[in-house]
Amino acid sequence: MLANLDNEVIFKKAFTDKTVFKAFVRDILGIEIEVDKIETEKKFDPEIGYVDFELDIFAESVDKRVCVEIQRVEYDPHPSAPLRTGFDRFLHYFLMLIAEQQRSSKEYGIDRTVYVIVVLTAPYKISEKNGKPILDEVLLLKLNPQTLQGQIRELYGHQLVCLNPNHSNEGTPQQIRDWLDLIYQSIHSPERPVLNIQNEGIKRAIELISFDKLTPEERTLAKNKEAARITLAKTEEYAKRAEKIENAKSGIAKGYNNHIIADITGLTIQEVEALRNAN
């Protein structure tokens, strides 16, 4: 049985292992990387762009030419915010890692190639500007200029990659599919996962997150993280419902009928009527 990669403790245990990290980077980005140290909760001092942000998993290649950051996202923490809030955050991290190099450079050169891989463990809750929902398994953002004829000029290798195993696509390459299957099945079918153990990175990850291989301390920490996440979700749900109720009361005070108030707030007509009678 696999432990859940939706859990921060389990995710970091797997992807801070050098064998897993290097295989993951190779399969997702198509590059070989040698790393000395893999950090978690990486921060920069002083802050970049006046923003104090934290990277889930961060590593720099031994030759200092490549840096890779892996960001795990389980759900949109601000569902009522503008539609692209999550992607705005990923883009910010991506650009700040590029900007960070300028602090030690006397010129405008950017010596290291920056890669950010975002793993989302819940379906997207965003849409394009035209309202069309985004249902892609893999999204790529590359910082290279192109001509008016659409020819790409390879000046930079920087890439932002978003992975979401909840939107399966038969066109996804097998080496990427292996990792998406690992993430998805650890969450949805941990007792009977069907995975490609011929991939050394996948095999090693399975060993690391097998439930019976977790230490008592890891199980306790993972359980505490899950409890904290549930508490946060319930708190946010309570706050959203309280806001709906206040909006409904305001609508009642303004003389709106139950149907209009229900439509505006998302409450049922019965709930609105109960609030009206309670006043």
Side-chain angles (χ1 to χ4, degrees), residues 113-128:
T113 303
V114 172
Y115 298 92
V116 173
I117 304 173
V118 177
V119 177
L120 297 105
T121 56
Y124 292 122
K125 296 181 180 179
I126 63 172
S127 302
E128 297 181 53

Side-chain angles (χ1 to χ4, degrees), residues 12-22 25 33-42 56-60 68 70:
K12 288 181 178 177
K13 179 179 182 180
F15 287 92
T16 54
D17 177 85
K18 285 188 179 180
T19 298
V20 174
F21 184 91
K22 289 167 60 178
V25 169
I33 184 173
E34 289 296 332
V35 296
D36 180 41
K37 181 171 62 173
I38 302 174
E39 302 176 70
T40 61
E41 288 86 44
K42 170 73 172 179
D56 284 356
I57 299 173
F58 176 84
E60 224 175 27
V68 177
I70 302 175

Side-chain angles (χ1 to χ4, degrees), residues 160 216 259:
L160 169 64
H259 288 277

